[in-house]
Amino acid sequence: MPLIMNVEDINDLDGLAPRACEVCHRKDKIFRCSACQAVYYCGRDCQVEDRECHKIPCKLLKKALDRYKLEEQKLREWPGDLDSPANAFEQDVGHFWRNMATRPYMVARLDLAHIMLNSYGTPGGPVDLVQIILDHYFDMLRLSRSDDLGVREIIPGLYVRLGRDQDAYDFMTWFAAVNEDPDHEWGNVDKPFLDTKDANVFEEPLKRAWTVTSFLDLSHAVVVLLIKVRVLLDLYAIQNTFIALTGVIPPEIIAIICGKLVRSDVMFRHQILLSTPEKMASLTKRIKSQVRELYKAVGKYNPYFWNLMVNDPDACVLRTPQYNGYAQRSEQEALVILAFTFAAWYETPGAIKMLRDLAKMR
């Protein structure tokens, strides 16, 4: 199981790994492990070499995958009774959890995704697997909008890991708005669902959801902050490039170079690359202020979180957080949310350094 403590230089972590052999990292002519369907090998030699490391997560994943498939088959064949009608995949989409017969299937699917995430979805994991994990969680949310298993806390961090910052922000903005409506009918499939598009990432953080510390949506606040940090890092890169190259090469060439430097898809959507230096400086100042505000809100709400993120991120793997029954503002809550978010932070070069700098400022 990959751990941060085993990474010689965390700056070497730069996003997710491409599809490749688990041992030699060859990218062509590879095959997927038929048992766990999570990792790839180029041939038997590499598979044998990795056996000692792979056998335990492989068994766990295969067991979870078999259970998930069995529960899906049982649910599809369920004849129905007075409390749990049949044909849930046709009749109950959107409010799955109300049908008691769906719950073993949903729990099995949740467990499978969690095991994938903890086994090979840690920082620097394979991009294919992270996409599969996201697909599982997102489809569970489609089936059960009420989200009784809390997958909405996990999805934004996975979006960011896949470079889909705008999708993550739209997702969290939609939930922040709907949570303001006490009469929202979560099981009403005729209502719009996750239909927020191109929300303004540069706007001030939404107070009730992400900065008011009486009840903070901790997971979403942490990911909103990361998106702002990623934007800020891109702004710094653009500004430094303009300073270094202005007067040396034409402005349009500088803009192309800057486009190669930025990581966040947000930057392209909002045409920041075409801004004047004055507008860029003003935007940078505004985002820096928002970053500080969000950082303070998270630290005030849960005093354990930032220390764990910066100094002991492996705790969320090694100490097995309790996903059910933790208290708000507790260390257990910090561990759970850390498990959902730390990979996205560590896969963003410069993000953890910015957290350390914020801690010094505080």
Side-chain angles (χ1 to χ4, degrees), residues 110 114 137 141 146-155 340:
L110 181 76
H114 277 358
Y137 288 133
L141 193 57
S146 59
D147 189 28
D148 296 85
L149 294 174
V151 300
R152 68 183 178 276
E153 305 296 338
I154 315 172
I155 289 172
F340 299 156

Side-chain angles (χ1 to χ4, degrees), residues 60-61 63-65 67-68 71 103-119 133 136-137 140 149 151 154 323-324:
L60 289 172
L61 281 167
K63 183 178 179 180
L65 186 60
R67 178 187 167 207
Y68 160 63
E71 292 298 342
R103 297 188 179 186
Y105 161 81
M106 293 290 279
V107 171
R109 194 170 189 182
L110 181 76
D111 288 345
L112 172 62
H114 277 358
I115 292 171
M116 286 181 176
L117 190 62
N118 291 332
S119 297
I133 294 168
H136 274 295
Y137 288 133
M140 289 176 67
L149 294 174
V151 300
I154 315 172
Y323 294 111
N324 296 317

Side-chain angles (χ1 to χ4, degrees), residues 302-359:
N302 190 303
Y304 301 97
F305 189 81
W306 290 131
N307 180 58
L308 287 168
M309 175 69 83
V310 173
N311 298 315
D312 193 15
D314 293 328
C316 66
V317 177
L318 299 176
R319 290 164 58 181
T320 315
Q322 299 298 315
Y323 294 111
N324 296 317
Y326 59 81
Q328 294 173 10
R329 304 173 183 267
S330 66
E331 186 177 26
Q332 274 297 316
E333 179 191 41
L335 287 169
V336 170
I337 302 306
L338 185 67
F340 299 156
T341 57
F342 85 111
W345 278 89
Y346 277 87
E347 287 169 354
T348 302
I352 298 301
K353 181 182 182 301
M354 190 170 289
L355 287 180
R356 292 194 176 105
D357 293 341
L358 287 165

Side-chain angles (χ1 to χ4, degrees), residues 173-342:
T173 301
W174 187 88
F175 269 101
V178 171
N179 286 337
E180 291 288 302
D181 179 7
D183 298 321
H184 183 78
E185 301 174 56
W186 289 98
N188 186 347
V189 295
D190 294 326
K191 281 183 170 286
F193 185 61
L194 295 175
D195 59 338
T196 300
K197 301 297 179 185
D198 293 327
N200 184 8
V201 174
F202 306 107
E203 67 188 353
E204 294 300 312
L206 302 178
K207 296 294 182 183
R208 287 179 61 85
W210 304 330
T211 62
V212 173
T213 56
S214 56
F215 183 79
L216 196 72
D217 189 339
L218 183 57
S219 177
H220 286 196
V222 168
V223 178
V224 169
L225 173 56
L226 176 57
I227 291 172
K228 302 274 189 183
V229 165
R230 286 162 65 93
V231 168
L232 187 56
L233 290 169
D234 282 350
L235 289 170
Y236 286 154
I238 292 170
Q239 288 178 309
N240 291 336
T241 302
F242 268 107
I243 291 171
L245 299 180
T246 296
V248 179
I249 59 177
E252 59 270 21
I253 303 300
I254 297 177
I256 294 173
I257 294 172
C258 289
K260 299 294 184 180
L261 294 174
V262 300
R263 298 172 178 276
S264 173
D265 64 338
V266 171
M267 304 297 284
F268 293 103
R269 289 171 182 261
H270 293 270
Q271 298 184 323
I272 300 303
L273 299 176
L274 303 178
S275 297
T276 64
E278 293 76 18
K279 288 183 178 180
M280 194 80 71
S282 175
L283 179 59
T284 300
K285 182 178 179 181
R286 180 150 49 100
I287 298 297
K288 284 175 65 176
S289 176
Q290 295 173 10
V291 164
R292 287 193 292 268
E293 181 183 10
L294 285 159
Y295 175 83
K296 290 177 182 178
V298 169
K300 184 176 180 181
Y301 176 79
N302 190 303
Y304 301 97
F305 189 81
W306 290 131
N307 180 58
L308 287 168
M309 175 69 83
V310 173
N311 298 315
D312 193 15
D314 293 328
C316 66
V317 177
L318 299 176
R319 290 164 58 181
T320 315
Q322 299 298 315
Y323 294 111
N324 296 317
Y326 59 81
Q328 294 173 10
R329 304 173 183 267
S330 66
E331 186 177 26
Q332 274 297 316
E333 179 191 41
L335 287 169
V336 170
I337 302 306
L338 185 67
F340 299 156
T341 57
F342 85 111

